[in-house]
Amino acid sequence: MAKEKVCLAYSGGLDTSCILAWLIEKGYAVVCFMADVGQEEDFEAAKKKALKIGAEKVYVEDLRQEFVEELCFPAIQCNAVYEGVYLLGTSLARPVIPRSQIAVAQKEKCVAVSHGCTGKGNDQVRFELAFYALQPSIKVIAPWRLPEFYTRFVGRNDLLDYAAQQNIPVTSTKSKPWSMDENLAHCSYEAGILEDPNTTPPDDMWKLTTSPASAPSEPEDFTVTFQAGIPTKLTTSSSDGTTTTTGALEIFLAANVLARRHGVGRIDIVENRFIGIKSRGCYETPGLTVLWVAQMDLEGLTLDREVRALRDQFATVGWSRCLYNGLYFSPEREYLQHAVVAAQDGVTGQVRCRVYKGHVSVLGRTSDTANLYDMSESSMDEIGAFEPSDTSGFIAVQAIRLKKYGAMKADKGERL
C-alpha cells in the first residue's frame, strides 16, 4: 500500500528538518515546500538537505513579487501597524506561503499539510486558518501540538540532540539558540536568551541592518514617487549620478539597500500574541520602514482629514488585526482592503527623504494632482482666501457644549 503523502512547509532550519525526519519515521511520504519570500537562504543547499533526510520531492516557489505587490504595498496603504510600533513583517509573508503550499499539496495529491509552528505562537493560527480557507477538507499535522512530539522534544536542545543522531546539519547551536524568521521585508528574533525581556540583544544577533553607531557618517537622500498610495519609483543621487528604480520588487529591494546600510528599522518589543501570551520579539524591518514613513507623510498633503481618520480608526486597526491574527482570507479583510484602496485614490506625489544613523526623516513633499494644501491659506504673512473673522463663529459653536459642561462642574463644586 502506498504511503500517505504530506506536504511540509520546510525552511531548512532546525525545527522543520527534525519534523521532516519525524514524519518519515511515522510512515509518511513527505513532499517539502519552500517559499522564497526574500530570505537570504541557500535554497539549493536546503533542497539537498531535505532530499538527504528523506523527502520525496522539494518544491521551491519564488513568491517575492506576489509578496510585495499583494501584501507589503497594501500594508503601506493601510498604515498597517500592530500595537503602535510593529509593521507586521512576519505576518505579512504568511498569506502567500500557505496559498502556494496548498497549490503544491493539491498537485501532489497530499492528504495533509504540515508545518513547524510552535504551539504557543501566532504562526500556527495564521497557517492553519489559511489552509482551511483555501482547502476546507485538508488535514493538518501540527507536531508541536501533538503530545508524542512535544514530550519527546521538550526544548531546542532536544532537537539539536535529535538532529545530531539523524546526521542533520543545522545552523542553530546551544550557544546561540534564538530563533529567526526572515523575509524580504523583515527578520525576527525570539526565544533563547531573548525570552528575558530585560536582556539586551547581542550586537551580532542583528542580521540585516548595520548598527546605527557604525552606519555611514554621511546621510543619504532619496525620493519616493507614489501613485494612489503605491510606490512606483525610487530615485537616489550620488557623485556617480542619479539612479531611478521602478517595478514593485525592484523598488522594495532598493529601499532595503538604503535602509540596511544606515541601520534603519530595528525595534525590540513585548507584544500581545493572539492566543493570549505576551512575547518578546526583536525585529528588523528596513525597506518597509522607509517606504511607510514616506507614504504616511504624503497622506498629510493629499488625503482628506476625515477619510484619513476613518482609515486609521477602522481600516488600520482592522486590517492589521486580520493580518496578525491569521484572518487574511476572510470577508472582513477583503472589505477593509476595498475601503482602503478607495481612500488612497488621491495619494499621488513625491516625498524626499533622508536616512542617517538609524533614522529616516522627511525633507519635503510635492503633489501635482491631489494637493489639498493651500500655501496662501496657511501663511502667516497673507490672508489669502481664508477670512480670519469667520473663526469667531467656529469657536462660538464649538464652545457651546463646553460652556454647559463647565457650568455643570462649577455647580457641583468640582475642579476642571
Side-chain angles (χ1 to χ4, degrees):
M1 181 182 292
K3 295 179 180 179
E4 288 190 325
K5 196 179 291 187
V6 176
C7 181
L8 170 66
Y10 183 71
S11 68
L14 175 63
D15 288 37
T16 55
S17 292
C18 290
I19 288 171
L20 169 56
W22 180 81
L23 287 169
I24 294 170
E25 188 181 290
K26 299 299 291 182
Y28 291 105
V30 183
V31 173
C32 285
F33 164 80
M34 300 187 70
D36 179 359
V37 286
Q39 67 271 39
E40 294 179 356
E41 178 75 58
D42 187 339
F43 290 102
E44 190 58 34
K47 182 176 181 178
K48 289 179 180 177
K49 179 160 68 172
L51 292 171
K52 182 180 178 181
I53 294 169
E56 292 199 347
K57 290 183 181 179
V58 180
Y59 284 79
V60 180
E61 302 294 321
D62 186 350
L63 307 177
R64 295 174 302 161
Q65 189 84 25
E66 181 181 337
F67 174 41
V68 172
E69 292 181 344
E70 297 187 26
L71 275 302
C72 293
F73 282 179
I76 292 171
Q77 290 181 306
C78 285
N79 184 24
V81 183
Y82 185 72
E83 297 189 335
V85 289
Y86 176 37
L87 295 183
L88 298 162
T90 298
S91 314
L92 284 171
R94 293 309 182 234
V96 298
I97 297 172
R99 181 161 59 192
S100 186
Q101 184 179 355
I102 284 291
V104 169
Q106 291 171 340
K107 179 180 178 180
E108 288 292 328
K109 296 181 171 51
C110 295
V111 299
V113 291
S114 184
H115 59 76
C117 305
T118 71
K120 293 184 178 181
N122 291 316
D123 276 345
Q124 58 181 336
V125 180
R126 295 167 183 152
F127 273 96
E128 293 184 34
L129 291 182
F131 290 147
Y132 292 131
L134 294 161
Q135 186 176 331
S137 62
I138 196 66
K139 176 184 175 183
V140 178
I141 300 173
W144 282 115
R145 294 205 308 272
L146 299 175
E148 64 176 302
F149 187 87
Y150 66 69
T151 55
R152 180 178 176 184
F153 305 107
V154 178
R156 297 188 69 78
N157 287 343
D158 292 329
L159 290 174
L160 289 166
D161 291 339
Y162 181 68
Q165 294 166 12
Q166 299 291 323
N167 295 316
I168 300 171
V170 292
T171 57
S172 181
T173 67
K174 293 183 181 181
S175 62
K176 281 188 177 181
W178 56 71
S179 176
M180 292 172 51
D181 184 87
E182 183 185 359
N183 60 52
L184 189 67
H186 159 103
C187 190
S188 67
Y189 310 86
E190 61 183 9
I193 62 170
L194 300 176
E195 289 176 352
D196 179 352
N198 199 35
T199 295
T200 301
D203 290 338
D204 64 350
M205 180 194 75
W206 303 101
K207 178 183 178 183
L208 300 184
T209 57
T210 301
S211 169
S214 304
S217 56
E218 293 295 325
E220 193 166 358
D221 298 346
F222 61 97
T223 301
V224 186
T225 300
F226 292 89
Q227 179 70 41
I230 296 293
T232 57
K233 184 167 62 175
L234 190 150
T235 305
T236 58
S237 298
S238 68
S239 57
D240 298 327
T242 299
T243 301
T244 299
T245 304
T246 58
L249 179 57
E250 293 74 17
I251 289 171
F252 207 93
L253 290 169
N256 266 342
V257 170
L258 278 168
R260 290 173 69 165
R261 182 161 56 236
H262 291 270
V264 173
R266 292 184 180 185
I267 63 169
D268 178 352
I269 63 172
V270 176
E271 67 197 77
N272 291 292
R273 287 178 172 172
F274 186 30
I275 63 172
I277 297 174
K278 285 187 179 291
S279 171
R280 192 267 188 95
C282 299
Y283 302 120
E284 291 177 288
T285 316
L288 186 61
T289 296
V290 299
L291 295 174
W292 170 69
V293 167
Q295 203 270 358
M296 288 301 104
D297 182 82
L298 184 61
E299 286 188 351
L301 190 69
T302 61
L303 190 57
D304 177 79
R305 179 186 71 180
E306 297 304 316
V307 172
R308 188 175 192 179
L310 286 170
R311 192 278 312 277
D312 288 347
Q313 292 169 22
F314 299 106
T316 292
V317 175
W319 199 91
S320 299
R321 284 179 177 170
C322 283
L323 260 290
Y324 192 84
N325 295 344
L327 297 169
Y328 181 82
F329 298 103
S330 66
E332 60 268 33
R333 194 277 310 168
E334 288 189 1
Y335 167 76
L336 289 166
Q337 194 153 332
H338 283 308
V340 167
V341 169
Q344 292 289 303
D345 187 58
V347 184
T348 296
Q350 301 79 39
V351 182
R352 294 186 298 109
C353 300
R354 171 172 291 168
V355 281
Y356 179 64
K357 297 250 179 226
H359 298 281
V360 54
S361 55
V362 173
L363 304 177
R365 73 289 292 165
T366 60
S367 176
D368 297 327
T369 59
N371 196 337
L372 301 181
Y373 177 82
D374 188 320
M375 191 181 302
S376 65
E377 284 186 346
S378 301
S379 176
M380 296 297 180
D381 297 322
E382 62 176 295
I383 294 178
F386 182 81
E387 183 57 59
S389 61
D390 290 343
T391 307
S392 298
F394 176 80
I395 294 172
V397 171
Q398 292 294 317
I400 291 173
R401 67 184 184 89
L402 298 180
K403 288 180 179 180
K404 296 292 185 184
Y405 181 67
M408 179 192 72
K409 297 288 280 188
D411 289 343
K412 292 181 177 181
E414 296 177 356
R415 182 174 180 269
L416 274 171

